[in-house]
Amino acid sequence: MQTLDAADERTDLAGWLHLLRLGLARTALWYVAALAVFAVVLVPLPGFSASVVASGSMQPVIGPGDVVVVRALDDDTAVLGRVVTFEDPERPGELVTHRIVAENPDGTYVTRGDANRDPDATPVARHRVRGRGFLLVPWIGLPAHWVVEGEWLPLALTAAG
C-alpha cells in the first residue's frame, strides 16, 4: 500500500509542476503579447514612433531585435542620462538608439551605447532627436532583424514553431 501512496504523491506533484509551468508560460506569453499590442497602439498616435534595434551597442538591456518606442521631445523634456533615438549625423537616414551622456556648451549632446567604451564621435543636435525612450518590447522585432541580417535558419524555425 505504501508504494501506491508514494506513486500517487509523485503523480500529484508532477501534475502541480505541470500546472505551474503551464501558468508561467501563459503569463509570459500574455505579457509579451500585451507589450506588442501596446507598442502597436502607441505607434500611430502623434508624438510616438518605434524602431527595431539592429545592433548590440545597448546591451545588456536593449538587444538586437528589440523594439524601442519613443515619445517626441517637448521643449522642457530632460534627456541627460536617458535613452533616445536620433538621426545619425554620420549616416543620413539611419536611426540610432543610444544614451545621452553629456551636454556640450553649444547645446549638442554626447551619446554612447551602453555596451560601448567610448562615446560616439559626432555630437547630436536636439533637432535630430526623434524621441526619448518610452517602452521597450523585447524580441518582437527579431524576425525583421533576421531578414535584414540574412539569418534564415532562426526565421524558419520560428515560423515552424
Side-chain angles (χ1 to χ4, degrees):
M1 284 283 234
Q2 290 179 348
T3 54
L4 290 177
D5 291 338
D8 287 343
E9 286 179 18
R10 277 194 300 263
T11 304
D12 288 346
L13 180 60
W16 281 108
L17 288 175
H18 176 71
L19 185 63
L20 179 64
R21 280 194 316 264
L22 187 64
L24 289 173
R26 286 184 178 175
T27 300
L29 182 63
W30 278 106
Y31 176 74
V32 171
L35 284 174
V37 167
F38 192 56
V40 169
V41 167
L42 279 178
V43 171
L45 295 176
F48 289 92
S49 64
S51 59
V52 177
V53 175
S55 76
S57 66
M58 287 297 291
Q59 286 183 323
V61 177
I62 303 172
D66 292 350
V67 172
V68 176
V69 178
V70 296
R71 183 172 27 191
L73 301 180
D74 294 328
D75 292 337
D76 60 342
T77 303
V79 292
L80 190 58
R82 303 299 179 113
V83 173
V84 297
T85 297
F86 57 91
E87 299 167 22
D88 190 345
E90 295 176 355
R91 295 183 308 262
E94 300 242 350
L95 296 177
V96 177
T97 300
H98 278 177
R99 187 176 307 278
I100 294 180
V101 295
E103 185 172 355
N104 294 322
D106 64 355
T108 59
Y109 300 116
V110 178
T111 57
R112 180 176 58 85
D114 290 351
N116 299 342
R117 181 184 317 235
D118 299 320
D120 299 336
T122 307
V124 177
R126 187 172 178 99
H127 73 274
R128 290 192 175 276
V129 176
R130 287 271 180 98
R132 185 172 84 178
F134 179 75
L135 177 69
L136 174 65
V137 187
W139 313 306
I140 295 298
L142 275 174
H145 176 69
W146 291 330
V147 168
V148 169
E149 295 296 317
E151 297 179 23
W152 304 112
L153 181 61
L155 184 64
L157 292 173
T158 301

